[in-house]
Amino acid sequence: MNLHQRSLHLHLLIFLSLITTSIANPIYSRIGCNDTCGIVRIPYPFGIGADCSVNPWYIVECTSSTPYLSALNHLELLDVNLENQTVTVKTPTISDCQNPNGVSIKTMSIDLGRSPFLFSKSHNKFVFEGCGNAVMMDNGSVVTGCSTYCPKGSFVELGPKCYGINCCETTIPHYLKSYVMNLTGLDGARGCGYGFLVDEISYLRGRFSVAAEKASVPISLTWILTSSDIQDCCQGAGFPRNLELNMGDGTSVHTQKCFPGLRYVGNPYLSYGCEVREECARCPNNCYYGTIYEDDGSSRLTNFTCPPAYPMSFEKKSSIAIGNILSLFLHDMYTFASSIFVLL
């Protein structure tokens, strides 16, 4: 083997090793970009730095191991969920305490402006803790609201368990771009009232406090992608699908989403981002699995099994066909690499 052949052989081995590495470990960010900031994974279309995100709205600034959405009022980023197409961020609560007249009115508004983010209908709930009423409005129209029952002499108990006494919760009927929240009828003799839109799973887990000074809560935002944003989904996801998100005023917002089959893990928004689940990799075609739903609303897959094998003759033919395809692929790669060396 001469020097040229050895060099070509070495480059081919490196190429194949890169393929093997990408299969063994899913890639979540663009090549050359960091995919974590502190303990938070930052998958594409988000990215740490301008060259790593799909557009400026999705740029993440990593400061002291804490991620922030630079273009969205520098909100702290807690999680990016590719499956739900949501991002969880911290937003302030609205609160009011004792009033000499016994009745108080407090208002707070949040507007996502022209950003590609919406308050998620499916992953948030509206909560009021205290004694009184809370209403959420959008462009002057009531979106949702609830009232609490506070027995005489009772005190507000804060926490994720809300049964209608000193606390109420409800859903929002559609996606929102902005909202105004009003707290009314607060009884100052019974402490404070707190109103907030909150990510449902975070609320069930109770990993925050609304009574803290300058309190904030996790909230889920749905992110929007257009056809110009998504060039390609990964092989396990096929083509991007169009979705319509109801805005409640007779209009809809269109978005595109990559849906990988449950057989795959990784990032479907990168053409090279998906891999077959380890539990399914041994199955020649698909695999069967069950779903376990946890108390906090999350779920996980379990009991992976392979479907019945195809007849031996078909398997043998398939193996031969795959072997032929692989041989042709390696031959083409060898030819391509040779042409590169010739050009160099």
Side-chain angles (χ1 to χ4, degrees):
M1 182 181 294
N2 59 36
L3 182 61
H4 173 76
Q5 290 174 324
R6 288 179 180 176
S7 177
L8 179 59
H9 181 69
L10 177 60
H11 281 78
L12 187 58
L13 288 176
I14 293 174
F15 174 79
L16 292 176
S17 68
L18 288 173
I19 295 177
T20 304
T21 301
S22 66
I23 293 175
N25 300 295
I27 298 174
Y28 288 93
S29 64
R30 277 182 169 173
I31 294 175
C33 300
N34 293 329
D35 64 359
T36 56
C37 177
I39 61 173
V40 181
R41 174 174 285 160
I42 312 296
Y44 186 82
F46 296 85
I48 302 174
D51 296 332
C52 296
S53 63
V54 67
N55 64 49
W57 285 106
Y58 292 80
I59 295 175
V60 175
E61 179 183 328
C62 187
T63 305
S64 300
S65 297
T66 301
Y68 300 90
L69 286 177
S70 303
L72 198 63
N73 298 322
H74 209 65
L75 292 177
E76 182 178 343
L77 176 62
L78 302 175
D79 180 63
V80 178
N81 190 307
L82 294 174
E83 181 180 356
N84 296 334
Q85 199 166 330
T86 58
V87 57
T88 306
V89 297
K90 281 187 177 182
T91 58
T93 64
I94 177 175
S95 64
D96 197 22
C97 296
Q98 296 178 358
N99 186 293
N101 299 322
V103 175
S104 179
I105 300 175
K106 192 71 176 288
T107 300
M108 179 189 73
S109 64
I110 297 181
D111 192 342
L112 296 176
R114 300 178 63 183
S115 74
F117 298 98
L118 302 171
F119 294 106
S120 174
K121 163 193 172 182
S122 305
H123 301 95
N124 293 311
K125 63 169 59 178
F126 177 55
V127 178
F128 174 65
E129 296 177 348
C131 300
N133 310 298
V135 176
M136 178 181 287
M137 305 181 70
D138 181 28
N139 294 323
S141 300
V142 174
V143 175
T144 190
C146 64
S147 300
T148 59
Y149 169 68
C150 296
K152 187 175 181 179
S154 67
F155 293 92
V156 177
E157 293 185 9
L158 304 178
K161 304 298 182 182
C162 184
Y163 302 108
I165 299 176
N166 300 337
C167 168
C168 64
E169 63 180 58
T170 184
T171 58
I172 58 175
H174 49 76
Y175 291 86
L176 294 169
K177 196 70 176 176
S178 63
Y179 66 83
V180 175
M181 189 180 298
N182 291 331
L183 304 187
T184 61
L186 296 178
D187 186 349
R190 299 186 188 179
C192 302
Y194 306 89
F196 47 92
L197 192 65
V198 62
D199 173 69
E200 185 170 10
I201 292 181
S202 298
Y203 182 66
L204 289 172
R205 291 173 177 172
R207 295 179 178 174
F208 59 90
S209 173
V210 297
E213 185 179 355
K214 296 183 179 179
S216 60
V217 295
I219 193 170
S220 281
L221 306 178
T222 295
W223 32 278
I224 306 300
L225 293 174
T226 65
S227 57
S228 61
D229 294 322
I230 301 182
Q231 304 297 325
D232 202 351
C233 296
C234 75
Q235 184 177 5
F239 295 102
R241 302 183 193 178
N242 296 312
L243 299 178
E244 289 190 10
L245 307 179
N246 176 26
M247 298 302 293
D249 57 358
T251 65
S252 298
V253 172
H254 298 269
T255 182
Q256 290 203 325
K257 183 176 180 180
C258 292
F259 286 89
L262 291 178
R263 175 181 171 86
Y264 297 89
V265 293
N267 189 343
Y269 294 93
L270 293 170
S271 59
Y272 46 82
C274 292
E275 70 158 356
V276 177
R277 290 180 181 274
E278 183 179 352
E279 300 90 342
C280 293
R282 57 188 175 86
C283 300
N285 296 288
N286 214 324
C287 61
Y288 299 135
Y289 31 76
T291 304
I292 294 178
Y293 295 95
E294 308 292 355
D295 291 339
D296 63 4
S298 62
S299 62
R300 57 188 174 89
L301 303 181
T302 186
N303 296 330
F304 290 86
T305 58
C306 294
Y310 289 105
M312 183 61 68
S313 59
F314 181 84
E315 288 184 345
K316 186 174 181 181
K317 291 179 181 179
S318 298
S319 298
I320 293 173
I322 292 173
N324 289 338
I325 292 173
L326 181 60
S327 297
L328 289 172
F329 171 77
L330 293 177
H331 177 268
D332 288 343
M333 286 305 305
Y334 184 92
T335 304
F336 175 73
S338 299
S339 64
I340 291 177
F341 284 118
V342 170
L343 291 175
L344 293 177

